[in-house]
Structures are given as C-alpha cells and as structure tokens.
Amino acid sequence: MNYDIHFSGKINSTLIMSTFPLTPQLIILACSGWKDYQLLDSGNGAKLERFGPYRLLRPEAEAIWRPALAEKEWQGAHAIFHPSPEENGGHWETRQALPERWEMGYNGLKFYAALSASRHLGVFPEQTTGWDWIETQIKNAGRPLRVLNLFATRVGHLAAGRAGASVTHLDASRKVVTWASDNLKLSGLEERPVRWMVDDALKFVQREARRGSSYDGLILDPPKFGRGPKGEVWEFYKLIPELLAACRQVLSPKPCFVLLTAYAVKASALTLHIALGEMMTGFAGVTEAGELALVEGSAGRLLSTAIFARWSQRI
C-alpha cells in the first residue's frame, strides 16, 4: 500500500517538488495471514496478540483508538506486560501457565518465542515482510553472497541462510546469539555457514573495514539505545551516521541489498530513506522506505510498529 505525502499551510508544493525531484513515495508493508501469530485487537494504548497458542497483552503507544473486542477477550490473556518509567523497563504478570519457551513457525522457518526481561518475545512479527524480501534478493542474485546481520534479531539469519547466503550474525548479547543459534538448529539449518559474533556493532564493522572484509548484503536493526558487551554505549541519533559510513566501507563492489529497520525513535521513514540513499550513492539500485505494520484481526486496522528503508541492486 502506498501513501502520498501532503503539504499543509501556504508552502508551494510545486516549488518543493521541483527543488527535490526525487521526493520518495513512502510505502506501508503489512503483515497478515500468519498462522502462528495474530494481532487480535488493539486500543487504549495496548495490543492483544496471539503468539502460537498463547494470548499476550503488551503496551502499544500507537494504539490511540478504542478496542474492537469485548473486555472479556482481553481478560483472557495468558500474560500481561506492565511497563515502568525506565527505558525498556517493566515486568510480566503471568495469569496462566506458560512454558519457558515455545516453538513458532513462518513459511517453513522455525524459531522459539519466550517471555523476557523486556516486553519483547524474541520474535518481531512485522518483520516477516523483511524476511521474505531478504530471501528474494539472495535467490535472485544468482551468485554466492556474504551477509552481515547487525544488532541481530533471531530470525533474519534463518531467511538469509536458507536462501544460500553465508551469514555473519552479530549482537552484543551472548544470550541473544545463543537463542539465534538454537533457532538455526530448530529450523534444520545448522549446516549452513553462519559465523556467530558477540561484539559491539560499530567497532566490529570498523575492524572489518581495516581488514578489507566485504559483504554483499547488510541487515541492520539498531535499537534506540543499547550497550555493547564491554559497556559501549549505543545511541541511535549519535551513532547511526557513523555506522552507515562504516558499513559503506565493507560493501562489496557489487552489493545486493541493504535493509535498515528502526523502532521507538523519533526519526521518520523519510529520514532513513535519505540516509540510506546517500550511503548507497554510486551503486545502481533502488531505495525504498516506509512503515512496518500489523493487520488487526478484530477491525482490520493497521497498527504501525516500525520504520524501514531498504536498497536493492538494479537487475
């Protein structure tokens, strides 16, 4: 689904369009029709979801409307996450028995979901459109590819590995890397070439550039704030320009794709579009950007969850 950019006030939009002839049309990528996941309902600053057989209730600032389902449907949640004032703080209240972790699947890929110290469960359902896109880019390349997966989520490497790429999977958390490794085994992909790294993303990429290493594909999912394994501080606005500049240095002469996703930041999709477009200057390809969304099962509303930008080679 495309959506237009409108200008308000007395700004001369014709002048703007002529000054910026490459003004992008942002797009919405929506996840729906996934058997093991469903956004059941949302509203009043929360969302009711089904992960496998379990119903979970999590806060969601974007859900400023009223819920469509009756209150009793919400009260049937197996667990509720209660946020605290601290960044990513809070705790889970378990109302019905839940296993320590449970299996989920998407399009032949298998992975574990689990309650954690934060509101996240190790699976970001809106990223399914990205997993599909990554596989398509790798398969269409028709050549062996090396892919670097930074701030690595626990599923993206599965899509890249299954498509035939050699993957370097990096995160600052050893627990997250172990979880991702377990997912690889669960999917029956343990024989795929995956290099596991517990490191600070920016420092690693800078070292790779000095070594002369190169990658054909990049997957970046940087948080708003985080810490490296040695206490390195990551702040999105301060360091994303430096990270993109470093990533440019490790691109192969013929890169295949770059996927950048951002959560809980004030930046817009337009910001990511411009930043990624400038990073890929000189390469023949297409840059797109927009929002990732989930489709409600109750009222069919689109719930925006993240922004993204992506670049793919022009074939």
Side-chain angles (χ1 to χ4, degrees):
M1 178 186 296
N2 294 345
Y3 62 98
D4 296 326
I5 302 172
H6 299 280
F7 298 94
S8 61
K10 297 182 179 180
I11 298 176
N12 187 328
S13 59
T14 302
L15 176 59
I16 290 178
M17 293 301 290
S18 63
T19 304
F20 301 100
L22 299 181
T23 299
Q25 188 173 34
L26 304 180
I27 60 177
I28 297 174
L29 300 179
C31 162
S32 64
W34 180 8
K35 179 181 177 181
D36 280 357
Y37 172 83
Q38 186 178 23
L39 173 62
L40 300 171
D41 195 19
S42 64
N44 292 342
K47 56 186 175 184
L48 179 64
E49 303 164 283
R50 178 179 57 79
F51 284 80
Y54 306 109
R55 289 189 171 202
L56 304 173
L57 198 163
R58 298 190 288 172
E60 180 51 71
E62 295 286 337
I64 61 175
W65 42 80
R66 294 181 179 179
L69 295 181
E71 184 177 352
K72 66 178 182 179
E73 297 291 337
W74 288 68
Q75 292 299 321
H78 289 77
I80 301 173
F81 187 82
H82 299 284
S84 64
E86 303 86 36
E87 186 77 24
N88 294 323
H91 68 278
W92 283 97
E93 174 195 351
T94 302
R95 292 189 169 184
Q96 300 182 49
L98 283 171
E100 182 178 353
R101 64 180 185 177
W102 61 95
E103 292 184 21
M104 293 182 63
Y106 173 79
N107 193 23
L109 299 174
K110 296 181 180 181
F111 38 86
Y112 292 107
L115 302 187
S116 67
S118 71
R119 71 187 67 191
H120 304 304
L121 291 96
V123 180
F124 294 81
E126 61 277 2
Q127 292 189 358
T128 55
T129 56
W131 306 340
D132 294 339
W133 184 82
I134 289 168
E135 283 205 76
T136 298
Q137 304 311 308
I138 295 172
K139 290 178 180 178
N140 288 346
R143 56 189 171 95
L145 299 181
R146 299 184 72 229
V147 173
L148 177 58
N149 189 18
L150 295 176
F151 306 98
T153 57
R154 300 150 181 89
V155 182
H157 65 297
L158 303 180
R162 183 172 68 176
S166 175
V167 181
T168 295
H169 181 101
L170 182 145
D171 194 88
S173 167
R174 186 171 300 278
K175 179 179 179 180
V176 169
V177 171
T178 300
W179 192 336
S181 177
D182 290 344
N183 287 345
L184 194 76
K185 297 173 185 175
L186 185 64
S187 290
L189 300 171
E190 60 268 33
E191 299 302 319
R192 301 287 177 162
V194 177
R195 178 171 61 145
W196 307 104
M197 302 295 298
V198 178
D199 206 340
D200 176 77
L202 178 57
K203 288 184 176 180
F204 175 81
V205 175
Q206 291 171 335
R207 286 199 305 271
E208 288 289 86
R210 291 194 295 268
R211 295 172 182 141
S213 299
S214 64
Y215 297 89
D216 307 292
L218 301 176
I219 306 170
L220 298 89
D221 191 13
K224 178 181 179 181
F225 179 85
R227 292 190 180 276
K230 297 181 180 179
E232 302 93 337
V233 176
W234 166 267
E235 293 185 60
F236 185 89
Y237 287 101
K238 288 185 178 180
L239 294 177
I240 193 67
E242 190 173 355
L243 177 63
L244 293 181
C247 285
R248 167 76 188 212
Q249 299 302 311
V250 297
L251 285 174
S252 68
K254 294 183 178 180
C256 178
F257 72 90
V258 180
L259 176 60
L260 171 61
T261 309
Y263 289 82
V265 297
K266 294 180 180 179
S268 69
L270 180 60
T271 300
L272 297 191
H273 188 289
I274 294 172
L276 185 57
E278 290 187 353
M279 170 186 161
M280 301 307 294
T281 298
F283 293 112
V286 178
T287 303
E288 300 174 297
E291 299 184 30
L292 300 181
L294 299 170
V295 182
E296 256 185 353
S298 57
R301 294 172 292 204
L302 291 178
L303 178 65
S304 178
T305 57
I307 57 176
F308 78 93
R310 64 190 187 187
W311 179 94
S312 57
Q313 65 179 343
R314 183 177 290 118
I315 299 176

